[in-house]
Amino acid sequence: MKTQKRLAAGSGGSIVVDRCQVCDAPDLEPILFLGYLPPVNTMPLIGTPLTEQPAYPAELLFCKKCTLAQLGLIVDPAILFPPSYPYTSGTTRILRENFAELSREIDSLYPLKPKQLIVDIGSNDGTLLSNFQKDGVRVFGIEPTNAAKLAVERGIPSIISFFNKEVAVKTAAEQGKAQIVTATNVFAHIENIHDIVSGILALLDDSGIFISESHYFRSLLETLQYDTIYHEHLRYYTLTSLKHLLETHGLEVIHAKRIPTHGGSIRVYAARKDRYPVQASVAQVLDEEKREITADAFAKFKRAVVNSKLDLLALLKEIKSEGGRIYGIGAPSRASTLINYVGLDDGILDCVVEIKGSYKIDKYVPGTIIPVLEEARLFADQPEYALLLSWHIANELIPKLTERGFKGRYIVPLPAPRVQ
Ligand SMILES: [Zn+2]
């Protein structure tokens, strides 16, 4: 079993990644450097005298042996998730639809029987598990934030806890082994990934199936989502790297499928070796990765990222020279990367607006003094342009904002900046 020698968690600082976090190979290849980025949840209140702020190098490294992409620095989660960082529900429409689709897929491929148990790691408010509360199936959620309380209120048994081997063993002792374990959008965030997988094995029945969904590295390359690179996201998986990780622990990948969540993810089914037939989807995705994840693709990606920055700046310069006002729409974590990498400041972006009730309101965008204001300002002020910082859901956002009365034009910053 490979274990990381030193963890950033509890260090109060950061550690350099000098070996691949999945396969331990030492020669990691740099793909892209986005500069030194501030922690995305460190947002001073508007009007606070400005003082020093930390910034961490954001370099994307690639492992040639297992094809995992990973950040070159791991920052202590205590810095990335300060106590002031509140829980915000991550269950958007696209996520709810994805969870409903996942439950239908499980029903058809590997149906659960009455009394069998499904455990969701990082279960949030229980949205995924709520789809399985039928036919006598037992559900159980493990969630590190207070969102678990919402799940319990909805009748979904859950505990508030980080997931690790110890918690897995305890859960198995109390609830029994699980026929299905799910972990959606979890594998990128947790530092000691090998401990997580060995915990999953401790929890999984002999014939059990583990299903993970992770942001997919190919989607990042294809749609130029460099703005999803920030220090909360430690890794960007390929199927090849997930296969390597799971096989290290005796799990076999039996099915894989690309899904649209988080701008493009991969859903991977795994079980103990030789328990289930391996579907053709596995070889197919692995082949595609061999063809597409190449040095040429990385060079092209880097050029495209740089060009998108220059093109966006050129577009914004034109608008500003005509006296146009530009409001940013939404301050998701990815907005911080885009704003800091492109170099937007309060002279370019007048403000960023957030939905009423967001804890980000009345604060500055990390690394800048661009104010975050309530969304009502967009409709009251009617700036000439709205810059969509959640551009990956532009098609969902634009009709909504227009319907609610915004009369200006929209700037979609990526993959190629455009006005519509
Ligand atoms: Zn590796």
Side-chain angles (χ1 to χ4, degrees):
M1 187 76 51
K2 295 178 186 76
T3 48
Q4 220 167 313
K5 290 173 285 292
R6 203 162 69 83
L7 295 179
S11 72
S14 58
I15 60 155
V16 170
V17 173
D18 51 8
R19 302 183 83 89
C20 174
Q21 296 165 67
V22 159
C23 76
D24 209 37
D27 46 349
L28 302 176
E29 180 189 338
I31 297 177
L32 182 70
F33 180 65
L34 293 174
Y36 285 74
L37 298 179
V40 294
N41 292 305
T42 302
M43 300 175 69
L45 271 172
I46 293 173
T48 315
L50 302 175
T51 59
E52 71 272 21
Q53 271 201 358
Y56 301 94
E59 184 173 43
L60 190 63
L61 306 175
F62 178 73
C63 172
K64 276 186 256 187
K65 187 175 161 199
C66 77
T67 77
L68 179 76
Q70 53 212 303
L71 271 193
L73 192 80
I74 302 179
V75 181
D76 188 340
I79 296 170
L80 298 180
F81 306 96
S84 59
Y85 176 76
Y87 155 72
T88 46
S89 173
T91 42
T92 55
R93 180 181 61 82
I94 193 167
L95 273 184
R96 280 194 303 278
E97 284 173 6
N98 176 61
F99 290 156
E101 191 266 336
L102 171 59
S103 80
R104 287 194 299 274
E105 187 170 88
I106 291 173
D107 283 348
S108 85
L109 293 177
Y110 309 103
L112 284 157
K113 299 191 188 87
K115 291 189 182 160
Q116 283 187 331
L117 173 69
I118 171 166
V119 175
D120 188 25
I121 299 165
S123 50
N124 204 283
D125 61 3
T127 303
L128 170 58
L129 288 175
S130 68
N131 290 291
F132 292 92
Q133 278 189 310
K134 57 182 182 190
D135 310 327
V137 168
R138 292 182 303 126
V139 304
F140 191 75
I142 301 171
E143 163 63 34
T145 75
N146 282 333
K149 288 182 185 162
L150 297 177
V152 172
E153 279 167 23
R154 299 166 69 184
I156 295 159
S158 309
I159 51 165
I160 300 181
S161 172
F162 283 100
F163 183 79
N164 53 36
K165 178 127 189 223
E166 198 188 328
V167 171
V169 169
K170 191 164 168 271
T171 303
E174 289 171 3
Q175 305 287 330
K177 296 269 179 113
Q179 182 59 28
I180 291 184
V181 173
T182 49
T184 62
N185 205 24
V186 164
F187 266 23
H189 296 77
I190 301 176
E191 186 174 10
N192 194 345
I193 191 65
H194 286 284
D195 186 50
I196 300 297
V197 182
S198 83
I200 287 160
L201 272 160
L203 186 54
L204 201 62
D205 190 80
D206 265 2
S207 64
I209 291 174
F210 169 57
I211 304 162
S212 67
E213 292 183 0
S214 310
H215 192 242
Y216 190 36
F217 182 49
R218 261 167 82 204
S219 303
L220 184 149
L221 294 177
E222 287 164 0
T223 49
L224 225 60
Q225 296 183 61
Y226 74 80
D227 59 337
T228 65
I229 298 172
Y230 46 88
H231 292 89
E232 289 175 29
H233 292 163
L234 303 173
R235 311 174 199 94
Y236 302 83
Y237 289 94
T238 56
L239 180 60
T240 310
S241 56
L242 279 167
K243 184 170 176 278
H244 193 108
L245 172 66
L246 296 167
E247 278 177 359
T248 307
H249 296 265
L251 287 169
E252 180 175 48
V253 174
I254 55 174
H255 179 39
K257 172 182 171 176
R258 294 185 74 166
I259 52 170
T261 51
H262 305 289
S265 301
I266 186 144
R267 179 185 294 160
V268 173
Y269 290 71
R272 285 184 175 81
K273 207 166 163 30
D274 300 328
R275 301 296 161 98
Y276 294 92
V278 176
Q279 300 201 24
S281 58
V282 179
Q284 192 191 325
V285 176
L286 292 173
D287 281 351
E288 288 166 4
E289 288 184 357
K290 248 184 217 135
R291 281 199 305 274
E292 291 177 26
I293 300 176
T294 60
D296 274 359
F298 296 156
K300 205 173 138 209
F301 171 67
K302 184 173 177 174
R303 273 199 308 278
V305 168
V306 173
N307 284 335
S308 80
K309 170 176 175 165
L310 296 172
D311 290 347
L312 180 59
L313 284 171
L315 174 66
L316 299 180
K317 179 174 187 289
E318 206 175 302
I319 293 170
K320 289 316 262 190
S321 66
E322 291 163 3
R325 291 164 298 165
I326 307 168
Y327 285 19
I329 306 295
S333 299
R334 63 195 304 160
S336 176
T337 296
L338 186 128
I339 286 171
N340 281 284
Y341 170 67
V342 176
L344 305 185
D345 62 28
D346 57 305
I348 302 171
L349 208 51
D350 297 82
C351 64
V352 169
V353 297
E354 270 273 291
I355 296 169
K356 192 177 177 177
S358 163
Y359 76 97
K360 296 177 180 176
I361 291 170
D362 292 335
K363 294 176 180 162
Y364 291 126
V365 171
T368 75
I369 54 163
I370 300 170
V372 181
L373 306 174
E374 207 177 294
E375 198 187 38
R377 289 289 290 269
L378 177 77
F379 303 108
D381 297 354
Q382 294 290 345
E384 288 71 30
Y385 291 88
L387 173 65
L388 296 179
L389 295 163
S390 293
W391 59 274
H392 61 299
I393 50 169
N395 294 339
E396 198 178 318
L397 286 175
I398 290 173
K400 265 192 206 160
L401 291 167
T402 301
E403 197 188 302
R404 291 174 57 203
F406 177 60
K407 297 182 179 68
R409 304 183 75 187
Y410 298 93
I411 305 165
V412 182
L414 285 170
R418 65 175 202 272
V419 173
Q420 70 180 67

